Amino acid sequence: MKNIRFTILSVFLLLVGASCFAQFEVVKLRCEHLENPLGIDGEQPRFSWQLQAEKDGILQAKYQLWVGTDLQEVKAGKGNIWNSGEVVSARVPAIYSGPKLSPFTRYFWAVKVQDEVGNWSDLSEAAHFETGMMNKDNWQGSWISDTYDYNLKSAPYFRKEFKVSKKVKAARAYIAVAGLYELMVNGEKVGNHRLDPMYTRFDRRNLYVTYDLTNSLNEGNNAIGVLLGNGWYNHQSTAVWYFDKAPWRARPKFCMDVRIVYEDGSEETVRTRSDWKTTASPVIFNSIYTAEHYDARLELPGWNKPGFDDSKWGSVLLTGAPSENTVAQTMVPVRHVEELPVQNMKKLDENTYLFDFGRNISGVTQMTAQGPEGTTIRLKHAERLTEKGYADLSNIDVHYRPTDDTDPFQTDIFILSGKKKDTFLPRFNYKGFQYVEVTSDQPLELSPENLTAYFMHSDVPPVGTIYSSNETLNKTWQAANSSYLANLFGYPTDCPQREKNGWTGDAHINIETGLYNYDAITVYEKWMADHRDEQQPNGVLPAIIPTSGWGYQWANGPDWTSTIAIIPWNIYLFYGDRKVLADCYDNIKQYVDYIDTNWPSGITDWGLGDWVPVKSKAPKEFTSTAYYYADVVILSKAAKLLGKEGDYQKYQRLAEKIRQALNAKYLDREKGIYGSGLQTELSVALYWGLVPEELVAKVAVNLAKRVEADNKHLDVGLLGTKTILNALSENGYADLAYELATQEDFPSWGWWIVNGATTFYENWPLDAQSDISMNHIMFGEVNAWYYKGLGGIFPDEQQPGFKNIILKPNFVKGLTFFNASHEGPYGEIVSAWKRDGRKISYQVRVPANSTATLYLESDNVMENGKSITRNELLKVVKSEGGGLRISLMPGEYDFTIR
């Protein structure tokens, strides 16, 4: 009896102990940076997770990960495909290294984690990923189209009926398209994506998308319908970028396999081939650049349902694949992310109404109207109005070169059927607008309910927030985010109306703005693949990516096309994931070697320069050489990281050569001034590390003096906006940087906001005669600076992905409170402070499995009302220059600083 009691007590204590030890759990499982992705091609998928802890101080010491094809086995920690074993690692992502993955297979995975004192978490919930084609040889379908005539205007319908005679276990559609598409099954649109597939260099790489059709198929007859749009593949509108002359241009085409697995284990593939049928649709014209035209009189009810009579439809055309490289689209899609109602409507004349949506967005509008048959409605989308209140396109149609009046810019055309209430929503276009002028050729009675707007963009999850006591600052942050999103459509663009181009300079300037605010890695990984597609054999990249050929001879150069180095490096810093850096390593090297060969002195004038300056422009040679130096520094660091010691030494020497050459030509060592001492010259040298260490303080003093001489206002262009605020705040002039950042008269970001801007502009003056798009992200670095210069949140290059967080907050004069948060790979980071007289209350959150290094200038610091030395989670060291360096374990902290 005594032994029985002892055994029961032991079991009880073990259970209690286990529950005590289970003080953290594994959450937010991601594969390839996506939640339960469908149809991936990667042979070594990446896995990541976060720890959710009940107590402070939890750090990961080991993990064990299981992958299997049986859900119940994985839930029990018995993955039949791969067991990682106990891996000593504190970091994510983990990389699959098991047996070769099979195509068309759902894999489940789960992970458990051990903390630093030996406690294991419970096994996580099981997540899953599903492989797609994996290899082009697995495609069964043929590429089909309706004609070779790419001048044909109407978008084609395609359909196919088939029978399902057994119970379906799983069904997937794999569809690759040159152009754009909508996929329908049994009369219903499949999924909520827009503008699929994402834009690539079509003759070098095509993307396919995977859909789960398991619940879409019926026992018996089924029908698949596909509507094809032109997109960038068959660009029929004419503009200065010559996309209508693209070498790949052809009539849209597609290839699809619908793979059905039945409960009895048998399989069937419904594929594109010659037995499909095609005809013209009511989409009588579509252009990604201008607009879409729709004739409701041509609607074919039921065309995508079983039993529809397609006897008068034509046969499809079998055609060649656009490229030899069709790969999975593994990224967040474009969606209708937000629905906007009309804020105000005015009737301008008998046939014209003006609808105002209250803010500038990218997207489309949906029109519902009823009227006589053949009534033609024009919906002109604009960012601003004429003095008489009509839509004004003069600021955004300057690069359009129409050949006739059949394709008006940003103007949808909607023709009514006369039989019912008709609804029109563009499928293959988006625009940039706040206002819509609706004109009909016959009088119609309209109300605000007739029109709805949809804000469209790549649906990247938000991961950052800023809030402060300065309302203009808050609105500036929101406006920058709106412009960032309005220019994200599977690649970062400059503006959503007149160009829609992937300008490289705009994108690398704003990479931190993107990554502090949004989980956008999948978009950038795709865009870096576009870079690799576009790079010439000699290493040269174009200024816009993707491109049909424009941009290799103008506007490129290291100040612009440093995207190839700067973006992969920032992805590594923000995510701790080196894949894209490794993928682009040879491309960075080719690019750098091209410059080194053609400008062996170390000084280069290849580039565009400090674009759209306020009044002063730094020498192009200076800024291009600075970016050349930045690229070489990144290349040398990447070489060391990837174990390429010879390259590391070589490019370190090249970087020093460039640095010395630029300083020899532009630096006045006695005065501590670069060139003419412009804001851009001084801040670029400081920010990119070109200044000799012994002269940093002197150059920073001169930069501060220059800003003060400029009345504490900006005098920079695009390149200078990246560096000016950072160079000030990182060198002891945070108060001045804040004053510069929050001015509300010309020229400043605040000047736009107080004059009603809801997005960022392309030029500083509101009445600029050119370069005056009202939705550009290019001056958006101020948004990232809020996180850095005020919140002080930085990734640590030695422990990237915010595994260790660098915290250097600046409690600037002029703000009562400031809150910044960013969700990194390990969880949410918070840096928030509030001023109360001479006292600063400072709150910090360090997520589980992260640490932080906090730098404070004051020595008079308390934590939770106690001396900071009494907190066992803190390690405090006095800095050489005064102040404190405090090492933080995971947890929440409340500091008081006097």
Side-chain angles (χ1 to χ4, degrees):
M1 180 65 71
K2 183 177 180 181
N3 288 338
I4 293 173
R5 286 176 178 171
F6 180 79
T7 302
I8 294 172
L9 179 62
S10 299
V11 171
F12 173 77
L13 290 173
L14 284 171
L15 290 172
V16 171
S19 66
C20 289
F21 289 145
Q23 294 178 336
F24 64 99
E25 60 179 328
V26 185
V27 297
K28 202 168 184 180
L29 275 64
R30 296 291 184 266
C31 176
E32 291 297 276
H33 299 282
L34 296 168
E35 184 177 2
N36 299 328
L38 196 66
I40 68 171
D41 279 348
E43 296 181 352
Q44 291 185 293
R46 296 158 289 173
F47 304 106
S48 63
W49 56 86
Q50 294 179 5
L51 301 184
Q52 186 170 293
E54 297 176 5
K55 69 171 189 174
D56 295 339
I58 295 295
L59 293 171
Q60 174 181 307
K62 296 180 182 178
Y63 70 83
Q64 188 166 5
L65 193 150
W66 290 265
V67 177
T69 54
D70 185 283
L71 174 60
Q72 297 308 316
E73 285 190 2
V74 170
K75 283 183 174 181
K78 300 178 182 178
N80 65 323
I81 300 299
W82 184 51
N83 178 350
S84 71
E86 293 186 10
V87 179
V88 178
S89 173
R91 300 185 179 187
V92 294
I95 300 175
Y96 177 81
S97 58
K100 185 176 181 180
L101 299 173
S102 300
F104 314 124
T105 304
R106 173 163 289 194
Y107 293 94
F108 300 93
W109 67 283
V111 64
K112 68 177 183 178
V113 166
Q114 186 187 66
D115 68 15
E116 285 196 326
V117 295
N119 299 320
W120 282 93
S121 71
D122 293 332
L123 189 66
S124 70
E125 294 289 330
H128 65 262
F129 65 93
E130 192 171 300
T131 52
M133 286 288 170
M134 301 290 286
N135 189 301
K136 66 178 183 179
D137 295 336
N138 290 321
W139 286 94
Q140 296 186 37
S142 300
W143 282 86
I144 63 173
S145 187
D146 64 332
T147 177
Y148 285 124
D149 184 6
Y150 59 61
N151 292 310
L152 190 64
K153 301 298 182 185
S154 60
Y157 276 153
F158 298 83
R159 61 176 266 112
K160 165 71 178 176
E161 287 200 32
F162 61 98
K163 287 188 176 182
V164 171
S165 56
K166 294 181 285 187
K167 190 172 182 181
V168 174
K169 179 181 179 181
R172 302 288 184 267
Y174 306 92
I175 180 168
V177 177
L180 299 171
Y181 70 93
E182 279 199 346
L183 172 65
M184 285 142 280
V185 174
N186 297 327
E188 298 294 328
K189 182 181 183 296
V190 178
N192 61 3
H193 297 194
R194 289 292 177 181
L195 302 180
D196 269 339
M198 298 296 99
Y199 177 27
T200 60
R201 174 70 188 256
F202 296 103
D203 54 355
R204 294 177 183 169
R205 182 168 51 100
N206 304 103
L207 302 179
Y208 75 87
V209 182
T210 304
Y211 298 95
D212 185 348
L213 299 187
T214 306
N215 296 322
S216 300
L217 301 183
N218 303 320
E219 194 166 330
N221 292 331
N222 291 266
I224 301 174
V226 174
L227 172 65
L228 287 191
N230 290 319
W232 295 98
Y233 185 66
N234 182 30
H235 204 285
Q236 294 178 321
S237 300
T238 48
V240 300
W241 316 108
Y242 302 115
F243 283 103
D244 59 313
K245 307 294 184 185
W248 60 70
R249 187 182 169 192
R251 182 72 169 167
K253 60 181 75 172
F254 76 106
C255 176
M256 181 165 64
D257 287 354
V258 176
R259 189 172 180 273
I260 306 170
V261 179
Y262 295 104
E263 290 283 1
D264 64 6
S266 62
E267 298 179 5
E268 179 183 4
T269 299
V270 178
R271 58 190 184 272
T272 46
R273 53 185 182 179
S274 58
D275 59 348
W276 283 59
K277 303 296 286 292
T278 184
T279 195
S281 77
V283 180
I284 57 176
F285 175 82
N286 68 99
S287 167
I288 190 71
Y289 183 66
T290 55
E292 197 162 313
H293 307 168
Y294 186 83
D295 191 341
R297 298 171 299 181
L298 303 178
E299 291 177 345
L300 301 172
W303 73 273
N304 47 21
K305 294 180 180 179
F308 179 81
D309 181 7
D310 61 10
S311 59
K312 295 182 180 179
W313 285 33
S315 299
V316 297
L317 178 71
L318 297 181
T319 186
S323 80
E324 291 296 312
N325 188 23
T326 301
V327 297
Q329 179 172 295
T330 309
M331 61 186 301
V332 294
V334 171
R335 291 190 176 101
H336 287 174
V337 178
E338 184 180 356
E339 180 179 314
L340 278 71
V342 172
Q343 297 298 307
N344 186 40
M345 186 194 80
K346 293 181 180 179
K347 189 171 184 178
L348 301 178
D349 57 46
E350 185 179 11
N351 290 30
T352 307
Y353 293 81
L354 195 285
F355 295 82
D356 179 359
F357 289 96
R359 54 190 256 236
N360 201 338
I361 64 167
S362 61
V364 292
T365 51
Q366 178 173 284
M367 181 82 185
T368 299
Q370 187 168 11
E373 180 179 358
T375 299
T376 299
I377 302 172
R378 292 189 170 222
L379 298 93
K380 182 188 295 186
H381 297 71
E383 293 188 316
R384 64 184 188 183
L385 303 176
T386 67
E387 291 183 358
K388 294 184 178 180
Y390 288 81
D392 180 5
L393 300 180
S394 63
N395 68 314
I396 54 175
D397 64 0
V398 294
H399 296 309
Y400 184 36
R401 302 291 184 270
T403 54
D404 54 42
D405 61 356
T406 61
D407 179 18
F409 190 68
Q410 287 221 143
T411 303
D412 291 327
I413 297 177
F414 179 25
I415 303 173
L416 301 182
S417 67
K419 300 176 182 177
K420 57 180 176 59
K421 277 189 177 181
D422 296 313
T423 298
F424 165 56
L425 174 72
R427 295 166 170 86
F428 306 124
N429 169 265
Y430 72 97
K431 308 164 191 75
F433 65 96
Q434 176 174 335
Y435 307 99
V436 181
E437 179 186 303
V438 177
T439 304
S440 56
D441 61 0
Q442 298 189 53
L444 295 174
E445 285 299 320
L446 300 179
S447 71
E449 288 69 35
N450 289 103
L451 199 65
T452 301
Y454 293 94
F455 188 10
M456 290 171 63
H457 53 79
S458 290
D459 194 9
V460 286
V463 294
T465 59
I466 293 293
Y467 186 63
S468 79
S469 56
N470 184 322
E471 190 56 31
T472 301
L473 186 157
N474 300 335
K475 289 180 179 180
T476 303
W477 174 74
Q478 292 168 348
N481 282 349
S482 292
S483 277
Y484 177 79
L485 294 173
N487 284 289
L488 205 64
F489 282 81
Y491 65 108
T493 68
D494 60 331
C495 56
Q497 3 73 5
R498 75 158 195 246
E499 292 190 36
K500 299 182 171 79
N501 281 323
W503 277 99
T504 49
D506 301 44
H508 76 67
I509 291 293
N510 290 286
I511 180 62
E512 290 176 289
T513 290
L515 296 181
Y516 272 114
N517 289 288
Y518 298 99
D519 181 11
I521 184 173
T522 59
V523 175
Y524 287 114
E525 288 193 327
K526 176 266 180 189
W527 197 46
M528 288 298 103
D530 296 333
H531 277 61
R532 298 192 292 273
D533 286 344
E534 297 285 14
Q535 190 172 33
Q536 292 183 341
N538 64 1
V540 173
L541 288 157
I544 59 171
I545 295 175
T547 180
S548 64
W550 190 94
Y552 285 99
Q553 293 183 333
W554 185 82
N556 56 344
D559 55 355
W560 240 245
T561 40
S562 284
T563 41
I564 192 63
I566 290 174
I567 288 181
W569 181 248
N570 275 276
I571 293 291
Y572 171 69
L573 291 180
F574 273 75
Y575 287 88
D577 187 333
R578 66 175 67 181
K579 182 179 186 300
V580 71
L581 190 62
D583 289 346
C584 291
Y585 179 81
D586 288 339
N587 305 87
I588 305 169
K589 188 175 175 180
Q590 279 182 292
Y591 188 64
V592 164
D593 287 348
Y594 174 84
I595 305 173
D596 186 29
T597 299
N598 287 275
W599 287 272
S601 68
I603 299 287
T604 178
D605 63 353
W606 182 34
L608 187 58
D610 201 16
W611 191 245
V612 192
V614 174
K615 60 178 186 293
S616 304
K617 185 172 182 179
K620 178 161 61 75
E621 182 183 73
F622 177 85
T623 49
S624 290
T625 301
Y627 272 94
Y628 176 31
Y629 173 76
D631 294 343
V632 177
V633 169
I634 290 170
L635 179 56
S636 68
K637 290 178 178 179
K640 186 171 187 178
L641 183 70
L642 300 173
K644 302 176 186 292
E645 184 62 27
D647 280 357
Y648 168 62
Q649 298 291 342
K650 173 184 175 180
Y651 292 110
Q652 261 204 327
R653 291 192 298 269
L654 178 58
E656 185 57 28
K657 171 185 169 182
I658 298 165
R659 187 170 183 250
Q660 289 182 11
L662 183 137
N663 284 336
K665 184 164 185 178
Y666 284 96
L667 172 60
D668 184 328
R669 289 177 176 269
E670 184 177 341
K671 295 180 179 178
I673 288 179
Y674 281 83
S676 301
L678 301 176
Q679 289 185 23
T680 293
E681 290 172 316
L682 298 172
S683 64
V684 161
L686 286 165
Y687 180 80
W688 291 114
L690 288 153
V691 184
E693 186 174 351
E694 68 275 12
L695 293 178
V696 167
K698 183 180 285 190
V699 174
V701 166
N702 285 323
L703 174 60
K705 288 179 179 178
R706 180 62 193 230
V707 171
E708 289 172 349
D710 290 324
N711 197 28
K712 300 180 181 179
H713 282 69
L714 293 165
D715 185 20
V716 294
L718 174 61
L719 305 180
T721 58
K722 179 67 183 182
T723 59
I724 182 64
L725 299 176
N726 296 292
L728 288 169
S729 61
E730 291 171 16
N731 290 282
Y733 297 94
D735 285 336
L736 182 58
Y738 174 73
E739 287 187 84
L740 185 66
T742 54
Q743 295 288 357
E744 295 185 3
D745 57 348
F746 175 82
S748 67
W749 294 280
W751 172 241
W752 297 335
I753 300 303
V754 298
N755 280 280
T758 59
T759 47
F760 272 22
Y761 293 171
E762 187 189 8
N763 212 324
W764 302 107
L766 303 178
D767 58 351
Q769 297 303 304
S770 63
D771 300 317
I772 190 55
S773 152
M774 297 170 71
N775 198 345
H776 256 65
I777 186 54
M778 69 182 198
F779 291 130
E781 166 62 17
V782 64
N783 184 306
W785 179 80
Y786 296 147
Y787 291 91
K788 296 180 289 183
L790 300 179
I793 301 173
F794 295 88
D796 184 347
E797 186 178 321
Q798 303 307 313
Q799 298 186 63
F802 296 98
K803 177 62 177 163
N804 185 63
I805 306 146
I806 302 296
L807 293 172
K808 294 182 176 181
N810 287 302
F811 313 124
V812 297
K813 299 173 183 176
L815 275 179
T816 304
F817 67 84
F818 180 84
N819 300 335
S821 69
H822 170 73
E823 184 180 353
Y826 299 93
E828 186 183 42
I829 303 155
V830 173
S831 177
W833 53 268
K834 184 178 181 179
R835 184 185 301 280
D836 182 6
R838 297 180 63 183
K839 181 181 74 174
I840 300 291
S841 298
Y842 179 50
Q843 287 78 43
V844 173
R845 180 182 301 152
V846 180
N849 201 26
S850 281
T851 57
T853 305
L854 169 62
Y855 295 85
L856 295 174
E857 294 183 4
S858 174
D859 292 338
N860 189 353
V861 181
M862 305 285 285
E863 201 279 318
N864 278 324
K866 300 177 182 178
S867 169
I868 54 176
T869 58
R870 295 183 185 177
N871 188 331
E872 65 274 12
L873 297 179
L874 302 181
K875 181 180 178 183
V876 183
V877 177
K878 286 197 174 186
S879 301
E880 291 182 7
L884 301 174
R885 185 179 77 244
I886 307 172
S887 298
L888 307 179
M889 294 287 282
E892 296 189 4
Y893 302 87
D894 191 347
F895 295 98
T896 301
I897 303 153
R898 295 184 184 274

